[in-house]
Amino acid sequence: MKSGSMILPALTALTSALLLASPPAQAIGRLADVTIVDRDTGATLPVHYARGEYWVAGRPGARYAVTVHNRTGERVLSVPSVDGVNVLSGETAAWDQRGYVFSPYERYQITGWRKSSSEVAAFEFSSIANSYASRTGRPANVGVIGVALFREQPPLPAPVATPEPYSQRRDSSSDNSGGLPGRMREEPASPAAAAAAPPPAPEAESSARALGAGSLAKAAPAPSAKLGTAHGQRETSVVSHTTFTRLQERPNEVISIRYDSRENLVALGVIREQPVRPPIPRAFPQSDAVSYVPDPR
């Protein structure tokens, strides 16, 4: 199993207050609730299920966050990707790359592309041409947010000394992190190993199998350009390092959320709007109205 240094996301008092004040999330996931939040309005984006996938509608130009809430009583590692790119390292995303480690029941907002241990570039819904993935020559996977979740390997039991004077003692390999909350993994990337690994088992995936771009091509054409995620303005986001040993090489759960503009999702049939019904004409409209005390001006 792999182990390495991590970084701890430090929540500010303001961020904590916003998270506590948030309404119940429309979340996806078993090990963790994953939601997408419009940071400019504070609203959690509704999740729509269509064609075997989960979708959210973003607003062009809006900043957004990927909120992860650890639902378990143990630490978990979250390897996040946006548009097929690891948000911590900028590499083409793979399961065995760096990620955030969250303490039991911790909630945290991933707000941007990590630039250092104290700064991120904000996630912003933008045109595909202005997306970070496209600007770095990787436009193929624009329009999807992913989170791979790993359980932690329990620490090995402490060695027990024997009475023999020359007995050999085993070194404990338990985690020395002290259980500090929310830390980020910093392991050497192994894209080749990730590419060779088989896909996660169906029961380990929260998002249903994707039907592929061909299935969407049969729907009505989208009326406007699709959304991507831009490399936005720099913001303060402090993290620290820890260690984490994964329970297994493959993720225990993979969460995938597609996104696009509301206009496009309506055109694709992902969002079904209620038809507007014309008002019913009345023979005596003035007499039918019930009068009560009006508000003062």
Side-chain angles (χ1 to χ4, degrees), residues 79-99:
V79 180
S81 73
V82 171
D83 297 345
V85 179
N86 184 298
V87 306
L88 299 166
S89 66
E91 302 168 280
T92 299
W95 296 334
D96 61 347
Q97 294 168 349
R98 294 152 49 183

Side-chain angles (χ1 to χ4, degrees), residues 83-125:
D83 297 345
V85 179
N86 184 298
V87 306
L88 299 166
S89 66
E91 302 168 280
T92 299
W95 296 334
D96 61 347
Q97 294 168 349
R98 294 152 49 183
Y100 290 102
V101 176
F102 301 111
S103 293
Y105 309 110
E106 183 178 8
R107 185 193 303 266
Y108 182 71
Q109 283 192 346
I110 303 171
T111 57
W113 310 96
R114 182 146 294 280
K115 307 302 294 182
S116 69
S117 61
S118 61
E119 195 175 46
V120 297
F123 293 143
E124 292 182 1
F125 289 122

Side-chain angles (χ1 to χ4, degrees), residues 37-296:
V37 176
D38 184 321
R39 296 176 61 202
D40 294 338
T41 65
T44 298
L45 303 183
V47 177
H48 306 275
Y49 183 76
R51 297 184 174 89
E53 297 176 296
Y54 294 101
W55 302 75
V56 294
R59 294 186 306 110
R63 297 177 307 155
Y64 75 88
V66 181
T67 301
V68 180
H69 179 199
N70 182 6
R71 299 180 62 187
T72 74
E74 60 189 67
R75 297 201 312 170
V76 297
L77 168 65
S78 166
V79 180
S81 73
V82 171
D83 297 345
V85 179
N86 184 298
V87 306
L88 299 166
S89 66
E91 302 168 280
T92 299
W95 296 334
D96 61 347
Q97 294 168 349
R98 294 152 49 183
Y100 290 102
V101 176
F102 301 111
S103 293
Y105 309 110
E106 183 178 8
R107 185 193 303 266
Y108 182 71
Q109 283 192 346
I110 303 171
T111 57
W113 310 96
R114 182 146 294 280
K115 307 302 294 182
S116 69
S117 61
S118 61
E119 195 175 46
V120 297
F123 293 143
E124 292 182 1
F125 289 122
S126 70
S127 66
I128 290 183
N130 194 43
S131 67
Y132 178 77
S134 292
R135 293 175 64 185
T136 55
R138 296 168 289 179
N141 297 294
V142 170
V144 62
I145 297 165
V147 177
L149 297 167
F150 294 84
R151 291 185 181 275
E152 186 172 20
Q153 180 178 332
L156 296 177
V160 179
T162 58
E164 290 80 11
Y166 299 103
S167 63
Q168 294 182 350
R169 300 186 180 185
R170 298 170 54 195
D171 292 332
S172 173
S173 60
S174 59
D175 189 351
N176 295 322
S177 65
L180 294 178
R183 309 189 175 206
M184 187 188 79
R185 185 177 185 82
E186 279 195 341
E187 289 184 337
S190 301
E203 62 271 17
E205 295 194 34
S206 290
S207 60
R209 294 184 182 89
L211 298 182
S215 61
L216 293 180
K218 298 177 182 178
S224 61
K226 294 182 179 180
L227 288 186
T229 298
H231 185 275
Q233 292 185 348
R234 301 291 185 96
E235 300 177 349
T236 299
S237 175
V238 179
V239 294
S240 62
H241 295 263
T242 187
T243 58
F244 187 97
T245 302
R246 308 180 194 210
L247 180 63
Q248 60 190 42
E249 295 291 334
R250 295 168 59 185
N252 295 99
E253 184 175 18
V254 175
I255 297 169
S256 178
I257 304 175
R258 299 279 299 276
Y259 69 88
D260 207 335
S261 67
R262 179 178 181 83
E263 183 181 14
N264 285 349
L265 295 188
V266 170
L268 291 170
V270 172
I271 298 178
R272 301 183 182 276
E273 294 185 328
Q274 295 294 331
V276 178
R277 297 182 178 180
I280 300 175
R282 299 180 179 277
F284 300 94
Q286 187 63 31
S287 297
D288 289 342
V290 179
S291 178
Y292 294 102
V293 177
D295 292 336

